[in-house]
Amino acid sequence: MEAVAWVELLGHRGQVLHRHPAFAWPIRIGNTYDGDIVVDDPAFPETKIFLETSSGNEAEMFLELASTSTNGNGGDVPRLRINHKPVEAVAARSIRLFSDDVIECGAARMRVRLRGHVVSRHRLNGKERFVDSWAFAWLIAVTAAIWYGFFSSINSLNEDVSEQLKDPFSLVAALLIWWGGWSLITRLVTGYGHSREHLLITGILFVLYPNAGNVGSALAFATGATTFALGGQLVQLAGVFYAMFAHLRLVKRVGVTMSVLRAGLLPCITWLWLMNGINIVFPEDKKPMSYDASMWPASIVIKSNETAQDVLASLESVKERVDAAAKTIENRVNAGQSSNEPNK
Amino acid sequence: MPTSSAAVFWTRPNPDSLTNRMPFPLTFATKYSAIGGILFSVIALLGTPTIAQQVKAGTSPEDSATKVLNRSRPGIAKVRVISVSSGSQIAIGTGFVVGDNSSMVTNYHVVSDTVLQPSQYRLEYQANDGTHGNLTIAALDIVNDLALLRLDRPLASASPIEISGAIATKGDTVFAIGFPLSKGLTIVSGTFNGKAEDYFQPLIHYSGALNSGMSGGPAVDGSGTLVGVNKAVTRNAQLVSLLVPSSKVSELLNRPISGAINSPNYWKSEAERQLHQHAEIVMSSLVNQKLPTRSFDTYIGVDLEPLGFKCEGVHQNETGKYQHTLDGRVCNTNSWVYVDSSIYMGAVSLYTGIRTNKGMNSLRFAEVRRTHFDFRKKVSDDPEKNKTGYECAQRMVNINNLQSITFTCMRRDHRFEDLYDTTFVMHSVASDKQSIQVRAEMIGMPFSASKAMIGRVMEGVTWKR
């Protein structure tokens, strides 16, 4: 049976002293032995904390205080703090919580982590924020470097990159893969029970992304089966979509516009430029990644019953691209010649 | 698994050295020097004083090189290519006066810069009597590497080289004249050895020591009659030189000389027209009918030898981790045309080979085949960026019940319309024991003809199983 949440009892420095799984809602926390979680702390007030999920939404908890006071005046209301902020603890009042919120009741401090959720940035501790900020700064720096390299007139391969960008499939795939990658980083920074699973899947994804096409192509050569070439691409796509939906869940939980922007779009663009930038910087024979937009459509739409006529028909589009490139060179040469006309 | 085909290609031992001989414009001529490639050299050097000639006492005056030289000297001049912007000489060759002393013949490759970049280069002549002046182009035969030039004024002291159209006999002594390395007018004695074999264009095999700078000069018999025009020498060979037959000079002289040339790019357009004409002639012998086929072990592939083209066999035995054998044939039309110092056009080559697995597992064999699939890593782009990069298309096909992967790449020199370098590669994937590989390259050929050639190649490949 899997736990629906973990209740972590924290020490004064925030370290986890005990970690208890809870297998069903509501979770009752108290210093009596009829609760799900027993806080053996004499300073814990005689009250009970009920943690319940909102209907259909696993991401929230409601804290209900049940006072055991019998003196009729509201009882001895415990000192209650949520994320270090005092909260008026009124009996039977619902307080909305999120996963990883720190609950201080009396002298006890605890944290409840829901299975399958992560923490938004404003709930990170200092160290976690530092890592998150550093990663963000690195992304900004890489983006700036790639943009500079792209627009530099020194590198005549820029026109090749601009051609690659015109391939919408590759562009979208690159955006999605990085979005998923950032999801992994965020999860690793905050940490929660299933990070290993996501680490494995997204790690495989990052390794396979530049290589799945090559793997599929090699297998296609080996077996003659077109499905291998297609399969290589499907592995990439499957991983991309997994990462995308995983990150969508993260974004949904975070609910902060800036995080969506930071965690989504900017890294996607950075990844795209990083891939192309690497191919620009490295010499032709030492490029770490093989990236050929013209080969993607063929490997996606492979049909083993294509004939010689299909091959010949495909040459028309190749010719068009060559002619367009020749026109570009001609215009450039003519522009250069007009400015270099010798004095007569 | 490596992360890129580029890494695989450069770190693995290349099991197919044949691919190093696959022709591309710059490498085509030099790589095929063993079967008759040609080195064209036009080197810009400073001139040096002519070495004084002496006649040996007792030598027969009828056949002596001295007599020939003395008779021919007045009609031979240096042809200099001058940069318009700097006024400097950038290339030098030889020319000889014909007809009414107002015309001069030389090689096209001597004046190619002026043809293709007329605003940047001009021509001058420098005669042996010190006379010098300007030259303009009057006619071109780019396929046979000839150019007819017009002098700005008749060369009064010249005696035109006689062109009779007679063909010398194998073994006859022929004298090549020119300005080797700009050292001064030089005469070289050699032997006429008849038609050079295995060339599409007619050429004379001349066993004489031609050198750079002599291009465009006359090769004459003992009576001073033109036999041919100095063209080129074969690299890494001894006294294997080539002349353009005098008959081609006669044809050039009989062409109507153009009157008003309105466009500065007129001659470039004319060169392009001739390239198209040449391509049509070459390709019509290939694509108008089914190509002959030949058995390659369990496969059948196309072969150009029955059509009269030169072919040679290839065999390679690879041991170790990539143990396999390679057996094949490479054929080419040897019809390339010099366009400028960096490109040739108008030729077709065809390689068909069988790669036989001698103990590798199927994935490794697949990897070996894949490393030779994408040839683009071995090709250097045109240094002056006149050519586009390669644009390619990959397809997986079923041709004659043979599963194969095809890869077609094209590029073009922006200066010439509808003349493409097209490379078609086809690897079968039906068996992990043996694979047929076909590679057809059409250099500087029209798109429609290249496409037809690819179709002919594919229809000729089958698997006997």
Side-chain angles (χ1 to χ4, degrees):
Chain A
M1 186 178 178
E2 287 188 331
V4 299
W6 292 266
V7 177
E8 297 171 338
L9 193 62
L10 306 177
H12 66 277
R13 285 183 286 107
Q15 73 276 27
V16 176
L17 299 175
H18 300 286
R19 197 164 187 255
H20 305 279
F23 298 98
W25 299 100
I27 302 173
R28 295 171 295 178
I29 305 172
N31 64 354
T32 58
Y33 285 91
D34 60 348
D36 299 304
I37 307 291
V38 178
V39 181
D40 189 13
D41 183 354
F44 196 82
E46 287 191 2
T47 184
K48 288 186 178 57
I49 296 174
F50 288 85
L51 299 176
E52 179 62 274
T53 62
S54 61
S55 60
N57 188 342
E58 294 180 341
E60 296 174 289
M61 298 174 290
F62 292 91
L63 171 67
E64 288 189 11
L65 300 178
S67 172
T68 57
S69 168
T70 58
N71 61 10
N73 61 354
D76 181 12
V77 178
R79 179 174 67 96
L80 186 64
R81 297 163 77 89
I82 305 295
N83 295 329
H84 315 297
K85 294 178 182 174
V87 172
E88 186 181 1
V90 177
R93 173 185 172 183
S94 292
I95 301 171
R96 190 170 176 177
L97 299 172
F98 293 94
S99 179
D100 273 23
D101 279 349
V102 175
I103 305 166
E104 292 173 86
C105 187
R109 183 189 295 178
M110 68 195 79
R111 178 169 62 198
V112 179
R113 282 193 156 164
L114 298 181
R115 172 169 158 263
H117 291 280
V118 295
V119 177
S120 63
R121 180 175 166 81
H122 68 271
R123 292 185 176 81
L124 300 178
N125 62 29
K127 177 183 174 184
E128 292 164 341
R129 282 209 188 104
F130 174 77
V131 173
D132 187 52
S133 298
W134 177 86
F136 179 64
W138 176 77
L139 291 174
I140 295 291
V142 169
T143 302
I146 298 304
W147 272 99
Y148 172 77
F150 179 73
F151 285 111
S152 169
S153 60
I154 297 173
N155 196 330
S156 62
L157 288 175
N158 290 341
E159 57 193 26
D160 295 333
V161 173
S162 66
E163 284 302 312
Q164 291 175 358
L165 290 179
K166 292 176 186 173
D167 177 13
F169 178 85
S170 303
L171 189 66
V172 170
L175 288 170
L176 293 176
I177 188 68
W178 187 248
W179 199 0
W182 185 241
S183 166
L184 171 67
I185 292 174
T186 309
R187 287 164 184 265
L188 290 178
V189 165
T190 58
Y192 77 112
H194 288 264
S195 62
R196 283 203 203 96
E197 169 196 336
H198 288 93
L199 172 65
L200 177 66
I201 291 172
T202 313
I204 292 172
L205 181 67
F206 268 91
V207 170
L208 274 184
Y209 176 71
N211 295 299
N214 288 346
V215 171
S217 180
L219 288 172
F221 265 99
T223 65
T226 60
T227 49
F228 280 110
L230 181 59
Q233 299 295 337
L234 288 177
V235 167
Q236 295 183 16
L237 281 174
V240 164
F241 282 114
Y242 169 81
M244 179 184 72
F245 285 118
H247 190 71
L248 273 176
R249 287 200 331 191
L250 163 69
V251 168
K252 186 179 177 183
R253 293 313 313 139
V254 168
V256 176
T257 305
M258 195 57 204
S259 293
V260 170
L261 180 65
R262 185 179 66 239
L265 293 177
L266 189 56
C268 294
I269 296 172
T270 303
W271 175 255
L272 171 67
W273 291 120
L274 181 63
M275 285 185 66
N276 287 302
I278 287 175
N279 280 337
I280 289 174
V281 169
F282 277 70
E284 185 67 29
D285 59 343
K286 288 180 171 57
K287 292 186 191 302
M289 282 183 268
S290 162
Y291 184 78
D292 186 345
S294 66
M295 293 179 73
W296 279 54
S299 56
I300 286 289
V301 194
I302 286 175
K303 300 173 195 171
S304 61
N305 57 351
E306 278 200 346
T307 65
Q309 288 307 314
D310 296 308
V311 173
L312 297 177
S314 69
L315 300 184
E316 297 293 337
S317 64
V318 176
K319 176 181 179 294
E320 285 175 15
R321 296 200 302 268
V322 171
D323 288 338
K327 191 67 182 172
T328 302
I329 295 176
E330 187 177 348
N331 292 339
R332 190 172 63 222
V333 168
N334 290 339
Q337 284 181 344
S338 64
S339 63
N340 291 331
E341 199 70 24
N343 292 326
K344 294 183 180 171
Chain B
M1 181 64 68
T3 57
S4 73
S5 59
V8 170
F9 175 76
W10 289 108
T11 57
R12 296 274 184 258
N14 185 350
D16 181 12
S17 62
L18 174 68
T19 57
N20 290 328
R21 296 158 59 188
M22 282 297 112
F24 288 95
L26 282 174
T27 59
F28 190 101
T30 56
K31 292 297 186 198
Y32 277 80
S33 59
I35 59 172
I38 292 177
L39 170 67
F40 293 96
S41 329
V42 179
I43 301 174
L45 293 172
L46 296 175
T48 55
T50 306
I51 298 173
Q53 304 277 339
Q54 289 185 338
V55 177
K56 250 189 199 178
T59 305
S60 165
E62 296 301 319
D63 295 321
S64 70
T66 307
K67 185 177 165 105
V68 171
L69 182 62
N70 289 337
R71 185 184 303 134
S72 307
R73 183 199 302 268
I76 298 174
K78 282 183 188 175
V79 175
R80 305 172 65 215
V81 183
I82 308 294
S83 166
V84 168
S85 58
S86 66
S88 307
Q89 174 182 289
I90 62 109
I92 190 169
T94 305
F96 57 95
V97 171
V98 294
D100 58 357
N101 286 6
S102 298
S103 300
M104 184 176 289
V105 171
T106 188
N107 283 137
Y108 160 80
H109 73 260
V110 174
V111 302
S112 62
D113 290 319
T114 313
V115 170
L116 299 178
Q117 301 174 82
S119 62
Q120 297 185 30
Y121 301 100
R122 60 182 177 85
L123 299 171
E124 281 186 3
Y125 68 90
Q126 183 178 328
N128 288 294
D129 63 358
T131 310
H132 62 91
N134 293 321
L135 293 165
T136 54
I137 299 173
L140 281 184
D141 184 354
I142 189 173
V143 175
N144 292 295
D145 195 21
L146 291 173
L148 181 66
L149 309 176
R150 175 70 67 183
L151 285 74
D152 55 356
R153 57 182 181 276
L155 199 58
S157 60
S159 51
I161 301 291
E162 188 179 336
I163 306 170
S164 69
I167 301 173
T169 306
K170 199 165 188 174
D172 282 353
T173 299
V174 172
F175 302 94
I177 307 172
F179 297 91
L181 306 178
S182 198
K183 294 287 186 227
L185 189 63
T186 302
I187 186 165
V188 169
S189 176
T191 307
F192 176 87
N193 277 299
K195 182 179 182 297
E197 294 179 4
D198 304 323
Y199 288 96
F200 191 85
Q201 293 94 311
L203 290 168
I204 294 171
H205 177 193
Y206 174 63
S207 299
L210 294 185
N211 281 286
S212 300
M214 295 179 73
S215 291
V220 298
D221 61 14
S223 65
T225 304
L226 186 72
V227 173
V229 177
N230 303 333
K231 178 179 170 69
V233 62
T234 302
R235 184 182 279 177
N236 300 325
Q238 298 276 344
L239 300 181
V240 181
S241 302
L242 294 167
L243 309 174
V244 180
S246 62
S247 58
K248 291 299 174 185
V249 178
S250 299
E251 290 176 18
L252 183 67
L253 294 178
N254 290 330
R255 283 187 195 181
I257 294 180
S258 301
I261 299 170
N262 299 319
S263 164
N265 291 316
Y266 174 85
W267 292 113
K268 176 187 162 298
S269 300
E270 173 63 14
E272 183 177 328
R273 186 192 68 78
Q274 292 181 12
L275 287 171
H276 275 276
Q277 195 174 46
H278 172 69
E280 193 177 337
I281 295 171
V282 172
M283 293 306 278
S284 64
S285 62
L286 294 170
V287 302
N288 288 346
Q289 66 279 316
K290 271 192 174 183
L291 291 174
T293 56
R294 180 191 179 98
S295 180
F296 293 89
D297 203 332
T298 59
Y299 295 91
I300 293 174
V302 296
D303 187 22
L304 298 185
E305 192 168 44
L307 297 178
F309 296 110
K310 172 79 172 181
C311 298
E312 63 174 14
V314 173
H315 176 75
Q316 190 174 3
N317 190 19
E318 191 75 22
T319 58
K321 197 164 62 167
Y322 301 99
Q323 48 185 326
H324 71 281
T325 59
L326 176 68
D327 292 282
R329 284 169 72 77
V330 58
C331 305
N332 71 83
T333 58
N334 254 340
S335 58
W336 35 264
V337 175
Y338 177 97
V339 178
D340 69 15
S341 59
S342 59
I343 62 169
Y344 295 83
M345 286 186 172
V348 176
S349 78
L350 178 69
Y351 160 72
T352 306
I354 300 295
R355 209 175 287 269
T356 305
N357 190 352
K358 292 295 186 187
M360 291 184 281
N361 63 45
S362 58
L363 274 181
R364 185 165 288 170
F365 187 48
E367 186 186 326
V368 165
R369 285 179 284 158
R370 198 166 73 88
T371 59
H372 302 97
F373 189 65
D374 188 347
F375 65 92
R376 289 173 293 172
K377 303 295 184 297
K378 309 169 197 170
V379 179
S380 57
D381 286 334
D382 185 300
E384 297 179 9
K385 290 297 182 187
N386 285 317
K387 286 198 173 179
T388 67
Y390 278 102
E391 297 287 342
C392 304
Q394 178 179 313
R395 314 296 285 199
M396 200 140 184
V397 295
N398 187 330
I399 297 175
N400 300 327
N401 289 322
L402 179 64
Q403 280 274 44
S404 303
I405 294 181
T406 65
F407 193 50
T408 311
C409 288
M410 294 173 60
R411 66 176 181 179
R412 209 195 97 189
D413 190 309
H414 75 92
R415 299 172 294 179
F416 302 100
E417 289 288 331
D418 194 29
L419 289 174
Y420 300 85
D421 295 346
T422 306
T423 302
F424 171 76
V425 178
M426 176 177 169
H427 284 222
S428 68
V429 296
S431 166
D432 62 355
K433 299 288 184 292
Q434 199 172 60
S435 166
I436 185 170
Q437 299 161 4
V438 178
R439 181 167 166 163
E441 297 182 72
M442 287 66 68
I443 308 299
M445 290 294 190
F447 172 72
S448 56
S450 300
K451 187 174 166 183
M453 181 68 183
I454 291 171
R456 290 296 188 193
V457 167
M458 285 193 288
E459 76 178 353
V461 177
T462 52
W463 189 21
K464 292 188 281 186
R465 294 180 187 270

